[in-house]
Amino acid sequence: MTLAIDGGSPVRTAPWPSWPPPLDDAQRELVTAVLESGRWGATQGGSACADLVAAFARRSGVEHGVAVGNATLGLFAALRGLGVGPGDEVIVPAYTFVATATAVLLTGATPVIVDVDATDLHLSPAAVEAALTPRTTAIVPVHLAGSPADMDPLNAIAARHGLTVVEDAAQAHGAAYRGRPVGGLGDAGVYSFQSSKAMTAGEGGLVVCRSREVHEAVWSVCNVGRALDGAWYGHPHVGWNLRLTEIQAALLLPWLDRLDDEIDRRNAFAAAAERELAGHDLVTVVPQPPGTTRDSRHLLMLRVHAPFDRSFLLAAMAAEGVPLDGGYPPLGTMSALTEAGVRTEPCPSAEAAAREVVWVRQAMLMDDCGGAAHLAEALTKVLHGVGRR
Ligand SMILES: *Cc1c(COP(=O)(O)O)cnc(C)c1O
């Protein structure tokens, strides 16, 4: 069978769903109401941001939260609000989006890059334990691809050593660990509404907070150092304006009513892909960490067990009409971090993931037109084609 990249016919010609999904009526109505009210900012008495925060806190199993401009600033605000600053070391996984680590740099603390589990690619509790020093003050587990990090052992390490835990839930709206929603499992949890995420307003973020004290501190960081009940021009702390707008919140609030259906749909795709690829000699689905009870399936991660030219694989799959993403390079290899003076140790599991793991993106996982079968068929065609070259 001739590969599409060599002039053969592609496996799939139908388009994949686009992201974001089309605007729904509830979004149109609420956005219009906010626009017509003139209350576009969150300090003008509108309720969209407050309602969004309340809904996210409730869904995360906590009482408090703060809406912010994006998740990078949310991670910064959570860490700073929890007292992380210069001289501190903060543990982050080696296989994640760069912002997990650069948010630590914003606080003045040093990110310590720790390898991930060889199979599930989430922060490895054993590697965390080995990286602790007297300067370690916080851990940032990432709920990668929508599946929760194995939080119980990480929280146990944190409790033993008096560390703060900030969950990077930027990819995991609606996910759950041992029946408990993510975001409420650490001291604070941070969601992203950037345009690639499971809920989006183009940009945006939200921090949920375990306690009233954490909420007051994080709120102050995001509200120019004000105190929650203090005077408007009294600024007891150093802080910044990191707020989300009411217009963004109006796009997001109605989305909560359909988030669970969208997650079900992506899980159905993942289950179908798992069936299609069962017994495949060259490809396996990256498994979830122990304790995953609800995977929000931001991405479906696949490991390819064949020596192949990676850029050729990605180009050949795109030509077959099934585009895949090559995923993250290991954090420690990025000059963004080495230039910032971050010490880097070898991270063999993240390095293997950078060579072997590819992603099916969220929009494709929303497909219900045989997408999983197309994925499996194109992978088989291309990998066996590559093997023959
Ligand atoms: C997207 C993302 C972020 C950053 O979110 P922004 O809203 O773009 O700042 C942080 N961590 C992870 C794991 C992400 O995927």
Side-chain angles (χ1 to χ4, degrees), residues 69-73 75 96-97 99-100 142 144 168 170-171 191-194 196-197 203-205 298 328:
N70 59 58
T72 307
L73 293 174
L75 288 164
T96 183
F97 185 58
T100 310
V142 176
L144 181 70
D168 182 339
Q171 304 182 359
Y191 298 96
S192 171
F193 307 122
Q194 180 268 346
S196 71
K197 306 300 158 89
E203 304 290 353
H298 175 60
Y328 302 128

Side-chain angles (χ1 to χ4, degrees), residues 9 29 36 45 87 96 102 104 113 125 139 178 183 200 232 234 238 240 246 251 260 270 315 325 345 361 383 385:
S9 39
E29 273 170 37
E36 285 174 349
T96 183
T102 50
V104 173
I113 300 166
I139 308 177
R178 301 197 189 283
T200 175
W232 186 250
V238 175
W240 300 268
E246 289 282 291
L251 272 167
D260 287 315
D325 199 299
E345 309 277 343
R361 281 196 165 274
L383 288 172

Side-chain angles (χ1 to χ4, degrees), residues 91-311:
I91 292 179
V92 300
Y95 192 73
T96 183
F97 185 58
V98 67
T100 310
T102 50
V104 173
L105 290 174
L106 274 176
T107 69
T110 303
V112 173
I113 300 166
V114 159
D115 206 4
V116 291
D117 181 84
T119 54
D120 65 44
L121 303 182
H122 285 59
L123 187 58
S124 156
V128 169
E129 192 95 57
L132 296 175
T133 77
R135 297 185 148 206
T136 312
T137 57
I139 308 177
V140 185
V142 176
H143 302 313
L144 181 70
S147 46
D150 191 6
M151 291 299 291
D152 283 349
L154 294 169
N155 277 333
I157 294 168
R160 262 200 313 282
H161 298 275
L163 311 178
T164 289
V165 177
V166 173
E167 301 169 65
D168 182 339
Q171 304 182 359
H173 322 62
Y177 173 76
R178 301 197 189 283
R180 282 137 50 211
V182 301
L185 304 169
D187 296 291
V190 182
Y191 298 96
S192 171
F193 307 122
Q194 180 268 346
S195 45
S196 71
K197 306 300 158 89
M199 291 175 57
T200 175
E203 304 290 353
L206 198 142
V207 185
V208 291
C209 308
R210 163 178 277 174
S211 67
R212 194 178 154 74
E213 292 69 43
V214 175
H215 174 239
E216 282 177 357
V218 175
W219 186 91
S220 181
V221 174
C222 301
N223 283 276
V224 215
R226 294 193 172 104
L228 255 177
D229 302 317
W232 186 250
Y233 289 122
H235 301 274
H237 311 292
V238 175
W240 300 268
N241 174 1
L242 308 184
R243 289 185 296 264
L244 191 76
T245 68
E246 289 282 291
I247 304 166
Q248 289 167 294
L251 272 167
L252 295 165
L253 200 48
W255 202 315
L256 280 167
D257 293 334
R258 54 177 225 252
L259 176 66
D260 287 315
D261 288 344
E262 293 178 350
I263 293 173
D264 287 344
R265 191 149 155 179
R266 294 195 291 272
N267 273 312
F269 185 111
E274 232 150 340
R275 281 195 302 276
E276 295 279 348
L277 292 169
H280 198 288
D281 55 342
L282 299 178
V283 186
T284 49
V285 174
V286 172
Q288 297 147 331
T292 302
T293 46
R294 176 94 162 139
D295 190 328
S296 65
R297 293 288 182 193
H298 175 60
L299 307 165
L300 180 65
M301 300 194 289
L302 305 172
R303 193 184 289 268
V304 179
H305 302 269
F308 62 93
D309 180 315
R310 195 175 175 74
S311 54

